[in-house]
Amino acid sequence: MYTAMSLSKRIPMLDVARFFGMFLVYYGHIIERIMYLENPVATAHYKFIYSFHMPFFFLLAGMTIDPGKLYLPARQFFKKLALSRLVPYFFFTAALAVASLVFAGHFVVVDLSTAKGYLEGAIATLTGFPVFNIPLWFMACLVSVEVIHYAVGRYLNSTLKIIVAAILFYVGGYYLTANVQFIPGPNFWIFHEAIVVYGFYLVGVLMRRESILIAAQPRWRLVVASIVCLGAVVATWDLNQGPFRLFDAVVVVLSGHGNVFLFPFTALAGSILILTLARLCGESRFLMFMGENVLILFCLNGVFYHFFNGPFAAWFVDKFPGNWMAVTGAGIAFTIVSMAACIPVILFFNRRLPILVGKRSR
């Protein structure tokens, strides 16, 4: 029996995979706050998830890129980039900056008790580090990745060239960021890390080019691939012992990758695991809807990251035991509640203000 692919313009597997990845982002940020309260179970969950979930998003971006964008005139390319990435980046960052004037939140990068702190935060946001909406660092980095791809992607017209470029960018970026600390420090649109993750982006480009996991596959093969990839992640996530930065885990935004070989191995195994699981889910309308709107979910995650995750973590640690079952259950439950709360906002922006979330008016 073969898992059918939709004949519609969107590919169901990719939308479902987006949702799975976004679920891990929300869960990971909740677990992070529980980890801060010295819970060893949350620490293990954090390191496991972070070993692959952000590289996955860059790989997925490569799978979904329209090859025609490479050949647009520069003015048209940057206009599209501004409308689809920069408009939501600045709008949702500004919205949370305004919210911070009214509500106390978790903002550790700058001191928001002074006007100077807000000025520093505004400058950081303009240079690509959104201190008022930290989860949007991914969008800032993706902007740099897409600029790199616009510059060199048109020349990568064979499988061999893509593979060689992916290796060179990853290795070069890895050793650059290992020897120079950019965050905290000099940073411009997280370009230094974009060099590293462009390697994963090119893996996605290659997978789309070769129709890997996109062409029809027997269900048993997808099941076997999922089991193998899960085993690979479970076997290797804790083997990577660094060197890291600030956290004893892979944190892409801090260029904390750890071992040069184990980092990409676990990240690619975890990415393929998400894709195979998404393919096995078929065409779930709800999962596809959530995946199609993952950009809005990314933007809204900052609301929970800065204002709600911390109080929830403190309440949980005070009221419940810190064992594996309790931490996992609490993280999943709060993730579901958080994402469900986003649905009315998604519908509002899609219907009333699509331009603010990178979409055209209908």
Side-chain angles (χ1 to χ4, degrees), residues 32-337:
E32 177 182 346
R33 297 307 299 273
I34 298 175
M35 177 185 71
Y36 288 165
L37 300 175
E38 300 182 355
N39 181 284
V41 174
T43 300
H45 284 204
Y46 180 87
K47 185 170 183 178
F48 181 84
I49 292 169
Y50 274 65
S51 68
F52 65 88
H53 82 314
M54 290 316 301
F56 159 74
F57 275 105
F58 289 104
L59 183 149
L60 191 63
M63 288 188 76
T64 56
I65 184 68
D66 176 8
K69 289 178 69 174
L70 295 175
Y71 304 99
L72 292 174
R75 183 175 180 179
Q76 189 175 350
F77 169 79
F78 284 104
K79 180 180 178 181
K80 282 181 173 288
L81 189 67
L83 292 174
S84 62
R85 309 291 187 222
L86 299 184
V87 169
Y89 170 87
F90 283 113
F91 172 76
F92 282 96
T93 302
L96 264 63
V98 172
S100 71
L101 294 170
V102 182
F103 305 103
H106 177 69
F107 297 92
V108 297
V109 179
V110 291
D111 179 10
L112 297 188
S113 64
T114 65
K116 180 182 177 182
Y118 278 91
L119 177 61
E120 292 174 348
I123 294 172
T125 299
L126 289 171
T127 55
F129 192 75
V131 297
F132 300 110
N133 195 342
I134 289 295
L136 288 188
W137 73 264
F138 167 76
M139 195 175 297
C141 190
L142 183 60
V143 167
S144 293
V145 168
E146 291 182 334
V147 170
I148 293 173
H149 192 56
Y150 180 71
V152 305
R154 70 192 68 189
Y155 305 110
L156 305 178
N157 51 14
S158 71
T159 297
L160 179 60
K161 289 180 180 179
I162 294 173
I163 293 173
V164 171
I167 294 172
L168 291 177
F169 272 94
Y170 167 71
V171 173
Y174 174 89
Y175 284 106
L176 170 66
T177 55
N179 290 286
V180 181
Q181 182 169 321
F182 292 91
I183 296 179
N187 164 62
F188 185 77
W189 288 89
I190 317 183
F191 190 86
H192 58 282
E193 186 59 28
I195 299 172
V196 179
V197 296
Y198 184 53
F200 294 100
Y201 187 92
L202 286 178
V203 172
V205 171
L206 180 63
M207 291 179 69
R208 184 65 177 268
R209 175 187 174 92
E210 301 296 331
S211 295
I212 298 173
L213 292 180
I214 295 177
Q217 298 287 337
R219 193 172 185 85
W220 68 264
R221 189 178 295 170
L222 296 172
V223 172
V224 170
S226 298
I227 294 172
V228 170
C229 289
L230 176 61
V233 176
V234 170
T236 62
W237 69 275
D238 202 30
L239 293 180
N240 188 350
Q241 294 297 316
F244 297 119
R245 287 202 174 110
L246 298 185
F247 300 93
D248 186 22
V250 171
V251 183
V252 171
V253 68
L254 299 176
S255 296
H257 309 114
N259 185 273
V260 64
F261 299 110
L262 287 173
F263 165 56
F265 180 85
T266 307
L268 291 175
S271 299
I272 296 173
L273 171 63
I274 296 174
L275 290 168
T276 54
L277 292 176
R279 185 66 188 274
L280 286 167
C281 286
E283 300 185 23
S284 166
R285 292 182 64 184
F286 173 74
L287 298 183
M288 290 172 62
F289 165 78
M290 296 296 280
E292 185 177 352
N293 290 284
V294 78
L295 184 147
I296 306 177
L297 289 170
F298 248 122
C299 295
L300 294 177
N301 184 238
V303 176
F304 301 96
Y305 181 90
H306 291 286
F307 296 105
F308 291 101
N309 290 355
F312 172 78
W315 173 80
F316 167 77
V317 169
D318 182 58
K319 299 294 184 181
F320 295 91
N323 57 43
W324 182 90
M325 185 175 296
V327 171
T328 305
I332 291 174
F334 197 72
T335 296
I336 292 173
V337 170

